[in-house]
Every structure is written in structure tokens, then in C-alpha cells.
Amino acid sequence: VAIAREAAAGARDLDALRDAMAAFEHCDLKRGAERLVFADGDPAARLMIVGEAPGRDEDREGRPFVGRAGQLLDRMLAAIGLDRQAKGEEGVYITNVLPWRPPQNRDPKPDEIAMLKPFLDRHIALADPDILVVMGNISAQAMLGKRGITRLRGTWTEALDRPVLPMFHPAYLLRNPAAKREAWADLLDLQAKLKETAP
Ligand code: URA
């Protein structure tokens, strides 16, 4: 982890961080993955979303959230006027806790998350969003050190000196459509917070 911390701290901008991650050899996940999945959207956006890990589609394309969960995420964002293709006010920046796909999409192990966390922290520091959304258990655990997204979701908290909203992961919503009601409430809450904190 000390090596990761040093590599992450040495990155002066997002391109350098991506290069540092691509050159990082101390995570087994890298060997099983096709591609590094770094981020998508506008790094200058006020909102940054942190998902879990690339799946098969993301691993193939090298972009986060391009599969079914990603399509749902795009619709969720569109519902509150956000678009990862957009710049400025409507923009959003998207990444994952893990930049490499775990084999067979298994859950990432705690030591894998711990090893890569310095890169995520640096990623957030460099992108410097006003607001962070953590989607799903893995992301909430990594950013907040707490488990149980069902309990955590919908309540604003703080991490790395900025407001954080935990939400259900869109892959969870695909499996549990009834939970879309809570997700909708959280989206409206997020929209209100973006408005309230607008410069
Ligand atoms: N699920 C995630 O958490 N991230 C992705 O990039 C795709 C699916």
C-alpha cells in the first residue's frame, strides 16, 4: 500500500495518475483484466460518481459504466439533467473504486481495495468535485469505511472534505426494481444539493 500511496501522491494531474495506475504492478487484478478503466465524463464537473469495478463490457471498452448498469445510470442522470457527454453545469465525472475487472466479476477483496484506495483518493483530490456520490456497498465501504448501503443510502455524509451521498448501485436496481423508489428520492436530493451549492 505504501508503494501505491507514493505512486499516487507523485501524480500531479489526471493524465499522470492514469499513467501511474497503468504502470502499477502490485495488484493481481491487473493481470486478469484486458484494460485499465480510468474514468469517463468531464473531470471539471461538480459531481463525481464512484462505482465499484469494471464488468465485462467496461473491460472491453476501457470506459466505466457502459454495460446495462451504465445505461441505467445514464437514464438516472438524464432524469436530473446530467449527461456524461456534457461539459460544465450538466457534466458529470465517473470512476470506480477499482480500475481493473475482477475475474468473473467477483467482489473485490478487502486487500485489493486497500491497495488501490490511494489512487482513488488522489483521483478525487485531483478532480476536486464539489459533491461525491458513492454507488453500492463496495464504494460506500471504500469511501466511508461503513457497510450496509440499504442503511447508508440517502443520508449525506462527508469524505475527503466534501459532501458524499451514498446511493444504490444501478446494477442492484436492475435486480431489485422496487428499490428505484429510493433511488429516485436520492436523485432529487442530489439535484437539490447541486442547485443549493452552485457557484
Ligand atoms: N458497475 C460498476 O460499478 N462500474 C462499472 O464501471 C460498471 C458496472
Side-chain angles (χ1 to χ4, degrees):
V1 177
I3 301 173
R5 211 173 287 137
E6 206 170 298
R12 294 278 150 241
D13 57 31
L14 291 169
D15 286 340
L17 183 66
R18 181 202 284 259
D19 292 346
M21 289 165 80
F24 188 71
E25 297 296 346
H26 303 275
C27 178
D28 284 340
L29 291 176
K30 183 181 181 180
R31 275 174 276 287
E34 288 275 328
R35 260 173 257 282
L36 173 82
V37 176
F38 184 69
D40 197 16
D42 179 9
R46 297 184 56 226
L47 171 65
M48 182 168 178
I49 295 178
V50 181
E52 180 178 326
R56 193 191 42 185
D57 299 311
E58 290 76 21
D59 187 44
R60 224 181 255 154
E61 276 199 40
R63 273 201 306 138
F65 283 104
V66 293
R68 275 187 73 219
Q71 288 158 22
L72 176 55
L73 175 60
D74 284 343
R75 292 198 298 276
M76 291 163 66
L77 293 172
I80 56 167
L82 300 176
D83 174 359
R84 70 167 103 176
Q85 244 89 267
K87 296 247 177 225
E89 227 177 288
E90 290 170 22
V92 50
Y93 189 56
I94 303 174
T95 191
N96 285 307
V97 172
L98 298 165
W100 294 293
R101 180 195 184 193
Q104 275 82 49
N105 298 350
R106 66 158 168 75
D107 282 351
K109 298 175 188 167
D111 63 317
E112 292 165 345
I113 296 173
M115 177 66 94
L116 296 166
K117 179 72 166 32
F119 291 110
L120 177 61
D121 287 348
R122 186 74 183 139
H123 201 159
I124 293 166
L126 288 170
D128 194 23
D130 294 348
I131 291 172
L132 210 53
V133 164
V134 294
M135 291 192 139
N137 258 317
I138 299 292
S139 180
Q141 166 96 46
M143 284 315 303
L144 308 172
K146 290 182 190 164
R147 304 179 70 93
I149 194 65
T150 306
R151 201 168 29 84
L152 295 171
R153 64 137 283 278
T155 302
W156 287 93
T157 171
E158 255 193 37
L160 304 177
D161 300 318
R162 64 202 84 220
V164 182
L165 183 65
M167 286 185 59
F168 282 135
H169 193 289
Y172 175 82
L173 297 174
L174 289 172
R175 294 191 305 270
N176 302 276
K180 285 183 181 172
R181 178 203 278 274
E182 282 93 351
W184 178 241
D186 296 347
L187 283 170
L188 293 179
D189 197 359
L190 173 61
Q191 183 180 41
K193 184 77 145 194
L194 280 164
K195 240 182 226 156
E196 205 178 286
T197 56

